[in-house]
Amino acid sequence: MDVATRIGLACRGVLYALVGAVAVQVGLGERSKEADKAGAIEAVAELPFGAGLLWIMMVGFVALALWQISEALFGGGETIERAEAVARVAVYALVVVSLTSVLTKGKASSDDEKSRDITATLLGLPGGPVIVGAIGLGLVVLGGYWVRQGLVKGFRKELDRAGMPAPARTVMDHLGLGGFVARGAVAALAGILVCRAAVTFDPDEAGGIDAALREFAGTPAGPWLLVVVALGLLLFAAYCFGEARWRRT
């Protein structure tokens, strides 16, 4: 499980690296690509020995999901940390679904499509807008928590810093700072989109990573803000590779 979990953390880095790279292209004018995990998985499938790489990623993400289930149930810690573990289980489960879809069908639904489908289903339930709104607020809070983790370097407690060389500690501090702030900003904006869907009772207002990233391009700062956030995701991808080596599991 330790080896599989570390493989999973490295695979998470691969996904974020691909998402960040596509997001940079989107910010520079490429509008036809999807900057999300499903698009990243399809990009891996197109590589030589892509199917084998996807099976390795499947093992890694299943291990990550099992690990986070144990963290949510038995890990202790603050409520927000348990909530983060539950959120990670959901995210990793969706990644496994996307991996399975690409391996069996050659294509996966985009994160935006999944978000809208789930939102539409929830809106159809009694009290649906309240449920969707609560989920949106939860994403906003989680995003804020990740931003704070980056700013105060709260991620340090997850690393075996005693076993890290001094230069590696410095590099991981910088990667974690930029990466967690960018990741948190994307999650918070995705939560705002979900809240907007709850208020308007329109699932099309919801969206995943790709929709959230494109919202940054629509701000007064323009596409360059999207490029900055995308570069932050690349920093988080590099952090994931370091985490695969030095994470406490």
Side-chain angles (χ1 to χ4, degrees), residues 39-124:
I41 289 170
E42 291 180 2
V44 172
E46 295 171 0
L47 298 174
F49 309 107
L53 293 173
L54 291 182
W55 279 111
I56 292 172
M57 292 175 69
M58 178 80 80
V59 172
F61 277 100
V62 168
L64 286 177
L66 293 174
W67 172 38
Q68 290 305 303
I69 289 172
S70 69
E71 286 290 304
L73 295 176
F74 313 114
E78 300 176 1
T79 301
I80 185 67
E81 292 173 341
R82 287 178 176 267
E84 183 183 9
V86 172
R88 283 178 174 174
V89 171
V91 170
Y92 296 153
L94 288 175
V95 172
V96 170
V97 169
S98 294
L99 285 165
T100 303
S101 181
V102 171
L103 283 168
T104 57
K105 303 176 185 177
K107 186 173 178 60
S109 300
S110 72
D111 288 0
D112 287 350
E113 290 176 357
K114 291 174 186 171
S115 178
R116 288 163 185 155
D117 289 344
I118 292 172
T119 302
T121 300
L122 292 176
L123 286 175

Side-chain angles (χ1 to χ4, degrees), residues 5-219:
T5 298
R6 294 185 187 280
I7 291 173
L9 290 170
C11 291
R12 186 175 67 160
V14 171
L15 288 189
Y16 271 101
L18 291 171
V19 170
V22 173
V24 170
Q25 296 177 44
V26 172
L28 296 177
E30 173 59 67
R31 302 294 179 179
S32 62
K33 296 183 178 180
E34 292 283 337
D36 60 17
K37 292 183 177 70
I41 289 170
E42 291 180 2
V44 172
E46 295 171 0
L47 298 174
F49 309 107
L53 293 173
L54 291 182
W55 279 111
I56 292 172
M57 292 175 69
M58 178 80 80
V59 172
F61 277 100
V62 168
L64 286 177
L66 293 174
W67 172 38
Q68 290 305 303
I69 289 172
S70 69
E71 286 290 304
L73 295 176
F74 313 114
E78 300 176 1
T79 301
I80 185 67
E81 292 173 341
R82 287 178 176 267
E84 183 183 9
V86 172
R88 283 178 174 174
V89 171
V91 170
Y92 296 153
L94 288 175
V95 172
V96 170
V97 169
S98 294
L99 285 165
T100 303
S101 181
V102 171
L103 283 168
T104 57
K105 303 176 185 177
K107 186 173 178 60
S109 300
S110 72
D111 288 0
D112 287 350
E113 290 176 357
K114 291 174 186 171
S115 178
R116 288 163 185 155
D117 289 344
I118 292 172
T119 302
T121 300
L122 292 176
L123 286 175
L125 298 176
V130 175
I131 296 172
V132 172
I135 292 173
L137 288 175
L139 285 172
V140 172
V141 171
L142 186 60
Y145 172 72
W146 282 339
V147 169
R148 181 182 180 279
Q149 286 290 88
L151 294 176
V152 304
K153 297 182 175 62
F155 52 83
R156 285 176 171 176
K157 64 183 178 182
E158 299 176 343
L159 303 174
D160 179 20
R161 291 178 62 82
M164 297 168 62
R169 289 197 294 268
T170 301
V171 170
M172 288 296 283
D173 279 350
H174 292 311
L175 294 176
L177 170 60
F180 271 87
V181 169
R183 185 186 180 211
V186 173
L189 189 49
I192 291 173
L193 295 180
V194 172
C195 288
R196 193 164 69 187
V199 172
T200 61
F201 204 76
D202 182 0
D204 289 338
E205 292 288 345
I209 294 176
D210 182 73
L213 286 169
R214 291 176 193 271
E215 285 287 320
F216 284 109
T219 65

